[in-house]
Amino acid sequence: MESIQHRAFDADHFRDCASVVVERLAAYLDDHSLRGLALQPPAALGAAVRALMSGDGDSPATFDAERLRTIVDLFISAGIQVHSPGSMGRQFTGILPLPALVEMIGSMVNQPSSFYEAGQLPLIAERLMAAELNRFIGYDPERFAMITTSGGSLATLTAMLAARNDAFPDFWQRGCRAVGDDDVPAVMVSEDVHYSVSRAIGILGIGAEQVIRLPIDAERRIRPECIRPLLQQARMRGLKVFCLVATAGSTSIGAFDPLECIADVTEDEGIWLHVDGAHGASLLLSDVHRPKLAGIARADSIVWDAHKLLFVPPPCTLLFYRDRRRSSGAFRQQASYVFEKEPDQYTVFDTAEINFECTKRPMIVGLWAAWSLYGRSLFADKLDALCALTAAFYEHLRTQSDFEVLHRPECNILCFRYAPYPMSDEQLDALQLGLRDAIREDGTFFISKVEISGVTALRCVFGNHLTTLQHCIQLLNKIRELGDRLLAGVAEHAGAEVLEATGV
Ligand SMILES: *Cc1c(COP(=O)(O)O)cnc(C)c1O
């Protein structure tokens, strides 16, 4: 009999395996039941995973489809159930199957992008998608550039590197020696900036002491009137602010910084404006929500995560530059084995010179295929529906006297607290944390928690079109049930202590 080692590469074997996988995934898509996050104890999961590994790993394994089926089921169940209407906890969105299938083609044919030679379709699709999406940004079509990166964190690092090299042209060559005592590189960020920005600043050698935090208003947006005075102060300290990072859709509550007012200052002062739109740039596709991003075309660079609100599998991030020439400022290198001195009609499509990654997933193809086969309205309609659901939930919460809602939602994120009766700040915070854990334990819903100005809150992120207001109301009832149980437990405990203290 021919051994499995031979069959492993064959088309028939692929067909058999694919049908098992597709059948299980289709069953997953059919399941619209309310499920949260089933956190499995690592020891139990470890044992289940170990049991799937064959023997000593050296001798030929026996293949059986049943084990493959178990692998798929384990993979599905040991994760956030993003396709369930009960999944409201994080920025991972519900599932759009087509891009996942197209991803499989990329994995199947083992062709990375970055070089035209290896990634012809991805690199052409990248140019076309860039042009499509830029219609909603509004950059000069002749001047802008777009690359894809594995995640928003890497995109921000790349853009900030280009910004630093632009302001300090000798830095790449001379490192810290390029910096004069009264020209120390500094960056301005919002108090609510994503941690990936602080990381990029650390990697670039800017130093946390050279980060100027811009105050935010009650809606947690940068207060643009504070920028000039803080710039003045920075100059007095010998700092040269070369970049300001604004956010379009903050991770905590989904706030949008006022880009027009910020750009008025950065243009005036010659500061690179980087917009972290990892979460919120997708709202550009919606006619309803686009005004929140007014002024974005004045940004020097923009990060846009397609794996968040464009519903494609992670990672798929788009990094836009207003000016193509400045995109090439990030990396200043020669590598004769890959880079061409004089690009020809093919290598002009290579992105490796402006991209940190060498071997890179052809991540654009899934997005391009969905865009091409379904059109923009698929994305815009789903975004509008998610934001409308969030707004409706907000309106409902405002009428519930035992809940406090922390902000008016700008997109698909809403933060609130369960506060059935007056209690101390510490008790309220502890109640929300206890609730998050209890909800996780219960397994019907998945939500997250967040700290906003020292206040702990529950956080919902709506990324699934299957979720309705009715589900949100069910969530509130679940919170009441679990919260009251927690409070009763605390009261009982406190009661016991009182009894003990009084010696009864
Ligand atoms: C998610 C997020 C990031 C990080 O992006 P990754 O793709 O996860 O690396 C950065 N900024 C904001 C505002 C985000 O929401």
Side-chain angles (χ1 to χ4, degrees), residues 134-259:
N134 183 51
R135 292 196 285 128
F136 305 96
I137 296 174
Y139 280 155
D140 176 349
E142 303 301 321
R143 274 181 68 203
F144 87 102
M146 187 207 85
I147 56 169
T148 53
T149 69
S150 298
S153 308
L154 182 56
T156 283
L157 173 64
T158 307
M160 292 186 78
L161 178 61
R164 191 204 64 185
N165 291 347
D166 190 64
F168 298 87
D170 296 335
F171 206 116
W172 185 270
Q173 188 63 27
R174 301 191 63 221
C176 303
R177 285 173 193 269
V179 173
D181 273 351
D182 47 6
D183 239 3
V184 177
V187 175
M188 285 186 152
V189 303
S190 148
E191 264 175 40
D192 251 5
V193 74
H194 188 266
Y195 78 87
S196 60
V197 177
S198 315
R199 251 183 212 188
I201 290 168
I203 295 170
L204 292 175
I206 307 301
E209 286 179 7
Q210 277 69 249
V211 177
I212 298 156
R213 298 218 159 229
L214 296 167
I216 50 180
D217 63 16
E219 272 85 46
R220 309 196 71 76
R221 299 176 302 205
I222 288 177
R223 289 169 52 195
E225 71 278 11
C226 298
I227 301 175
R228 281 189 207 272
L230 284 168
L231 268 178
Q232 207 63 40
Q233 282 179 23
R235 277 195 202 107
M236 311 258 277
R237 286 170 56 206
L239 303 183
K240 176 173 171 176
V241 175
F242 68 92
C243 180
L244 188 153
V245 181
T247 309
S250 63
T251 313
S252 54
I253 70 161
F256 287 77
D257 286 331
L259 300 179

Side-chain angles (χ1 to χ4, degrees), residues 188-458:
M188 285 186 152
V189 303
S190 148
E191 264 175 40
D192 251 5
V193 74
H194 188 266
Y195 78 87
S196 60
V197 177
S198 315
R199 251 183 212 188
I201 290 168
I203 295 170
L204 292 175
I206 307 301
E209 286 179 7
Q210 277 69 249
V211 177
I212 298 156
R213 298 218 159 229
L214 296 167
I216 50 180
D217 63 16
E219 272 85 46
R220 309 196 71 76
R221 299 176 302 205
I222 288 177
R223 289 169 52 195
E225 71 278 11
C226 298
I227 301 175
R228 281 189 207 272
L230 284 168
L231 268 178
Q232 207 63 40
Q233 282 179 23
R235 277 195 202 107
M236 311 258 277
R237 286 170 56 206
L239 303 183
K240 176 173 171 176
V241 175
F242 68 92
C243 180
L244 188 153
V245 181
T247 309
S250 63
T251 313
S252 54
I253 70 161
F256 287 77
D257 286 331
L259 300 179
E260 293 282 19
C261 301
I262 293 172
D264 285 343
V265 185
T266 53
E267 278 172 11
D268 225 29
E269 302 281 345
I271 295 171
W272 184 296
L273 174 58
H274 175 67
V275 172
D276 178 359
H279 184 79
S282 297
L283 266 64
L284 283 168
L285 300 185
S286 153
D287 295 336
V288 181
H289 297 284
R290 194 172 311 117
K292 290 172 181 150
L293 295 117
I296 197 163
R298 297 168 73 186
D300 294 282
S301 50
I302 303 166
V303 166
W304 181 342
D305 270 353
H307 59 250
K308 284 176 182 162
L309 288 174
L310 295 185
F311 323 116
V312 301
C316 179
T317 298
L318 318 170
L319 168 57
F320 285 86
Y321 291 96
R322 184 155 45 105
D323 184 342
R324 181 180 312 123
R325 281 169 312 173
R326 290 167 100 195
S327 69
S328 57
F331 307 104
R332 306 191 165 185
Q333 292 169 295
Q334 305 294 326
S336 60
Y337 47 90
V338 281
F339 302 152
E340 310 283 341
K341 282 222 175 67
E342 289 299 325
D344 58 24
Q345 60 160 323
Y346 308 117
T347 54
V348 65
F349 285 93
D350 292 356
T351 59
E353 272 178 275
I354 55 172
N355 205 321
F356 181 76
E357 293 158 281
C358 178
T359 303
K360 191 177 74 172
R361 287 186 71 83
M363 57 190 86
I364 197 72
V365 191
L367 178 63
W368 166 79
W371 184 271
S372 307
L373 297 177
Y374 302 128
R376 165 171 75 110
S377 61
L378 176 99
F379 300 93
D381 292 353
K382 179 159 160 169
L383 279 167
D384 286 347
L386 294 175
C387 294
L389 169 68
T390 315
F393 187 28
Y394 165 76
E395 291 302 336
H396 177 80
L397 264 172
R398 289 209 311 163
T399 64
Q400 306 300 301
S401 57
D402 49 351
F403 282 88
E404 266 172 29
V405 52
L406 271 72
H407 62 105
R408 178 186 290 277
E410 292 282 316
C411 52
N412 64 330
I413 303 178
L414 189 62
C415 304
F416 57 91
R417 313 213 281 177
Y418 181 50
Y421 49 78
M423 55 183 101
S424 73
D425 291 346
E426 292 77 35
Q427 282 174 319
L428 259 179
D429 285 351
L431 175 60
Q432 313 314 310
L433 279 182
L435 271 168
R436 194 276 313 263
D437 292 347
I439 288 165
R440 194 147 79 181
E441 217 48 51
D442 174 80
T444 320
F445 294 96
F446 173 59
I447 63 173
S448 52
K449 61 107 182 142
V450 67
E451 256 173 51
I452 302 170
S453 305
V455 165
T456 305
L458 301 171

Side-chain angles (χ1 to χ4, degrees), residues 478-495:
K478 179 60 80 181
I479 290 172
R480 288 185 176 109
E481 173 200 323
L482 297 171
D484 294 348
R485 206 179 295 160
L486 281 172
L487 288 168
V490 171
E492 211 168 90
H493 192 69

